[in-house]
Amino acid sequence: MVEQPEEGQATATRKVTLRALRLGDAITVGTLAERMHVDPVLIIKQLMRTGVFASINQVVDYDTAAAIARPFGYVARRAADAVSVAAGAVAEDESADLSPRPPVVTILGHVDHGKTTLLDTIRSSDLVSKEAGGITQHIGAYQVDRNDFPITFIDTPGHEAFTAMRARGTQVTDIAVLVVAADDGVMPQTVEAIDHIKAAGVPIIVAINKMDSPKADAEKVRRQLSEKELVVEKWGGDVVDVEVSAKTGDGVDDLLEAIQLVAEVAELKADPNRPGVGVVVEARRDKSRGTLATVLVQTGSLHVGDYIVVGNTRGRVKALVNNEGRRVKIAGPSMPVEVLGISDLPGAGDRLVVVPNEKTARETVNERLRREDARGRGATLEEVGSRISSGEIKQMNLVVKTDVQGSIEAVRQSLEQLSTPEVQVRIIHAAAGSITESDVLLAVASSAVVVGFNVGPEPGARRQADQDGVQIRRYDIIYRLTEDIQKALTGMLEPTFEDITEATLEIRAVFSLGRRSKSAGCYVTSGKVTRGAKARVIRDSKEIYDGAIAGLRRFKDDVREVAEGYECGLTIEGFADYQVGDVVEVHRQQQVGV
Ligand code: GDP
């Protein structure tokens, strides 16, 4: 366990110092917030004061970030390695108050390669907690001690959870362990996991698992990994690999040692003496204890009695419980704890911040609710293009899915060769198969556009994309795709719109609303009518009017939408000449490819 300061000591030693913050050419608002350990909302507000309207995933350039950093007590310095800093993987800042913190590890890999078994084996190998008679609790994350070196593991393996957090603007993982079964080798989800880890800029350790199996072939795994540009140290590369058996426990201690080494190189630090900042790993409601949220403290310390804001809800810490089921008074950096005392259920990825008092908590929540849309949003190709042409960003990120494996390389090559010395086209993930939710989340987390070559999205992915504003562009001819990307790179891509008919209605009655205004009593024959769309009136097969929907009612109530098979009252802006038997087509301009 981490040595925790005594309660009360925390505030006494806090110093007001200007800290140095190394920044690359560009950084997202979310990452900047994370690096400075402040609420992203505060950064968005500060940006607004300077006339920049940005969302959490928006990228700002060095100068903007540097200007923003100052009021928060940071002096910006240019970093040599822009990519790793922009990824925010390693939270480094310089302050006299910083001390080492344990690494936070996530385990990723193909299904059935042994992620869960490995997590269980590591947990039960933690002799310290076993000897002390602790009872392991599944709270979503746990910490083990290897020769007094604590390591925190996130208990939800897989890249979906990993990227979902990033899509929400938070990155908790310091080191990713990629599990590959030695008797199965690199599989599609292994490749997917590699791309997700690389997009996050997190150091990677490969655990070659199931070495006890007679069919195990570690060399084959190494060869397959090298084809994915992960070259192990033995072969002259820089990737650490460890042979393990999650089942027998062989090699697991070597893996922990490798984690320790990589963590030491990364020099992970945090300031335990400042008010706590953390991220919700999971949350649930318990009948007798109320809301329980597992929080991973990222920096600072969380104390019993602290006023906190968690996502859009708040509370006061009633109790803190560690993964051994023990009550603790303080939780320091990288420590997972179950927090009791939050009023509503927060979501995974929600940020927790300690605030000075209840009033600030209330105000912060209200402010956040007002800025709901400050949450992660994807980007359209047109937006990326205009940001490139204004010099704001120098890289275009794409997630590419194709119908067959064979077309991946062709598509990749034709896209990557569009890169110029000034602007890079970067394919952060390319695979065969339909567009999945995890592709969409990766796009949100990396401000990427999703390209489907002869494939479309799965229903869940479509919903996720609509919700997060991610653009999915579909192509069936390579040159159309390269033409659009080329145009976007030069800022020449204009959005194209098409007209979509969303619903048809039949006018069955006409009502007078006053001397000149009338309303049409309609029946929805197909589709769904929504406010904000336009309505085209057709009489005897001819269009006689086209205008915006001004009112939509069910009985006496204003409604947002009316579905097929229902009746409604409709008014159209600037039109009153409704006649029974007219057909109304509700339509909307929709951006092509979104
Ligand atoms: P996950 O889907 O990646 O979480 O994989 P699981 O941990 O559920 O493991 C899938 C299967 O592989 C289970 O039947 C495990 O018992 C088995 N398994 C996991 N690790 C090992 C190992 O080191 N050796 C062998 N022989 N089997 C293993």
Side-chain angles (χ1 to χ4, degrees):
M1 262 326 107
V2 208
E3 220 176 60
Q4 302 294 355
E6 290 290 316
E7 231 182 331
Q9 185 188 320
T11 40
T13 55
R14 202 179 306 149
K15 295 179 202 143
V16 185
T17 42
L18 271 183
R19 295 147 200 241
L21 184 68
R22 289 190 190 282
L23 296 174
D25 290 336
I27 187 166
T28 66
V29 170
T31 310
L32 183 61
E34 204 167 301
R35 299 274 316 281
M36 298 198 294
H37 314 301
V38 297
D39 190 332
V41 172
L42 296 177
I43 302 220
I44 291 166
K45 271 173 84 174
Q46 185 68 25
L47 279 167
M48 282 173 79
R49 284 193 202 110
T50 61
V52 180
F53 292 86
S55 68
I56 192 164
N57 278 327
Q58 201 142 322
V59 175
V60 292
D61 61 13
Y62 173 83
D63 293 334
T64 312
I68 290 297
R70 193 73 198 211
F72 293 100
Y74 286 85
V75 183
R77 289 199 196 144
R78 273 211 184 261
D81 179 6
V83 176
S84 68
V85 176
V90 182
E92 47 142 353
D93 49 6
E94 294 165 9
S95 147
D97 294 343
L98 290 180
S99 33
R101 66 171 176 85
V104 178
V105 180
T106 298
I107 296 188
L108 303 93
H110 193 75
V111 66
D112 279 348
H113 278 197
K115 300 179 293 293
T116 315
T117 312
L118 183 60
L119 277 164
D120 288 345
T121 306
I122 294 170
R123 187 184 350 237
S124 56
S125 71
D126 184 20
L127 294 172
V128 176
S129 59
K130 262 203 266 176
E131 278 165 10
I135 307 158
T136 339
Q137 304 266 318
H138 284 261
I139 62 169
Y142 64 83
Q143 202 170 58
V144 296
D145 242 320
R146 180 186 182 270
N147 306 334
D148 288 333
F149 184 87
I151 304 172
T152 302
F153 286 89
I154 300 287
D155 219 352
T156 323
H159 53 269
E160 288 83 359
F162 173 79
T163 300
M165 287 266 208
R166 290 186 57 233
R168 303 211 55 189
T170 46
Q171 174 150 304
V172 294
T173 305
D174 300 306
I175 297 169
V177 169
L178 180 73
V179 173
V180 188
D183 58 357
D184 200 21
V186 169
M187 298 305 275
Q189 283 167 31
T190 317
V191 177
E192 201 165 315
I194 294 172
D195 288 345
H196 282 238
I197 299 165
K198 282 190 179 164
V202 172
I204 192 167
I205 295 174
V206 178
I208 303 181
N209 190 32
K210 305 201 185 182
M211 284 309 291
D212 60 291
S213 157
K215 283 193 286 171
D217 185 350
E219 284 296 291
K220 182 177 139 202
V221 173
R222 293 191 186 98
R223 194 180 60 245
Q224 290 174 326
L225 287 171
S226 69
E227 285 161 13
K228 300 291 163 207
E229 285 155 29
L230 282 187
V231 185
V232 298
E233 284 177 330
K234 202 169 108 183
W235 291 18
D238 58 359
V239 176
V240 177
D241 69 314
V242 187
E243 293 180 9
V244 298
S245 165
K247 197 170 168 183
T248 64
D250 278 350
V252 170
D253 189 59
D254 299 335
L255 176 64
L256 297 180
E257 187 183 4
I259 293 172
Q260 183 170 350
L261 289 175
V262 172
E264 278 165 2
V265 172
E267 291 189 21
L268 307 168
K269 292 200 169 121
D271 174 359
N273 293 328
R274 44 156 295 149
V277 174
V279 174
V280 174
V281 178
E282 63 173 46
R284 66 196 162 92
R285 251 189 252 281
D286 181 274
K287 271 199 195 107
S288 54
R289 295 193 293 166
T291 301
L292 299 178
T294 297
V295 171
L296 187 69
V297 178
Q298 291 186 291
T299 188
S301 293
L302 185 60
H303 300 75
V304 172
D306 277 347
Y307 290 99
I308 49 174
V309 172
V310 191
N312 284 336
T313 178
R314 63 195 167 92
R316 188 168 185 196
V317 181
K318 265 197 272 179
L320 296 170
V321 182
N322 71 11
N323 65 282
E324 287 155 29
R326 270 187 244 279
R327 284 185 174 236
V328 291
K329 287 219 170 85
I330 307 176
S334 298
M335 184 167 164
V337 268
E338 206 164 47
V339 179
L340 278 77
I342 304 172
S343 44
D344 273 325
L345 197 66
D350 274 351
R351 184 170 290 270
L352 172 144
V353 281
V354 170
V355 291
N357 48 44
E358 192 167 2
K359 184 164 167 270
T360 321
R362 210 176 321 118
E363 284 170 1
T364 312
V365 170
N366 289 341
E367 184 65 37
R368 283 189 180 183
L369 285 172
R370 271 200 295 278
R371 296 196 191 288
E372 276 278 60
D373 56 347
R375 263 194 48 196
R377 302 275 306 163
T380 65
L381 193 58
E382 292 79 4
E383 282 162 8
V384 172
S386 74
R387 275 192 232 158
I388 286 176
S389 62
S390 69
E392 197 184 315
I393 51 172
K394 298 189 165 42
Q395 181 170 305
M396 174 185 286
N397 288 342
L398 298 174
V399 171
V400 177
K401 293 304 280 278
T402 60
D403 53 344
V404 287
Q405 188 76 23
S407 26
I408 298 177
E409 271 321 297
V411 173
R412 183 196 286 278
Q413 277 180 12
S414 20
L415 289 175
E416 283 180 345
Q417 72 189 21
L418 298 175
S419 294
T420 64
E422 292 80 37
V423 198
Q424 248 207 317
V425 177
R426 199 170 142 231
I427 295 170
I428 55 172
H429 177 55
S434 47
I435 296 159
T436 62
E437 263 180 80
S438 122
D439 294 328
V440 172
L441 289 171
L442 181 62
V444 183
S446 313
S447 296
V449 172
V450 181
V451 170
F453 189 73
N454 281 328
V455 287
E458 290 174 355
R462 173 86 270 166
R463 267 195 304 279
Q464 189 76 45
D466 288 346
Q467 187 186 318
D468 291 334
V470 167
Q471 191 179 38
I472 295 178
R473 299 183 72 101
R474 296 175 63 168
Y475 295 90
D476 47 15
I477 301 172
I478 263 201
Y479 83 79
R480 290 245 159 80
L481 166 61
T482 49
E483 197 175 80
D484 273 6
I485 301 292
Q486 178 81 59
K487 276 192 195 154
L489 287 173
T490 49
M492 304 293 281
L493 188 70
E494 297 288 335
T496 40
F497 292 92
E498 63 184 341
D499 196 75
I500 310 270
T501 302
E502 293 184 328
T504 49
L505 298 82
E506 193 185 296
I507 299 185
R508 295 199 166 166
V510 180
F511 306 103
S512 227
L513 297 176
R515 247 175 20 123
R516 282 209 295 193
S517 129
K518 283 187 182 148
S519 148
C522 301
Y523 176 80
V524 185
T525 44
S526 70
K528 189 160 76 181
V529 190
T530 47
R531 261 169 193 273
K534 289 176 82 183
R536 201 183 282 135
V537 183
I538 317 268
R539 186 171 299 159
D540 302 326
S541 309
K542 282 198 205 81
E543 178 181 322
I544 58 161
Y545 191 79
D546 191 5
I549 293 178
L552 187 63
R553 289 186 151 203
R554 290 263 311 139
F555 302 104
K556 290 229 156 62
D557 300 328
D558 284 324
V559 289
R560 279 175 176 282
E561 55 181 48
V562 181
E564 182 175 327
Y566 287 94
E567 287 175 341
C568 61
L570 180 80
T571 50
I572 303 173
E573 216 167 83
F575 186 74
D577 175 30
Y578 307 101
Q579 283 185 18
V580 172
D582 286 349
V583 170
V584 180
E585 280 178 7
V586 174
H587 64 113
R588 196 188 282 273
Q589 294 281 308
Q590 189 171 306
Q591 192 178 335
V592 176
V594 179

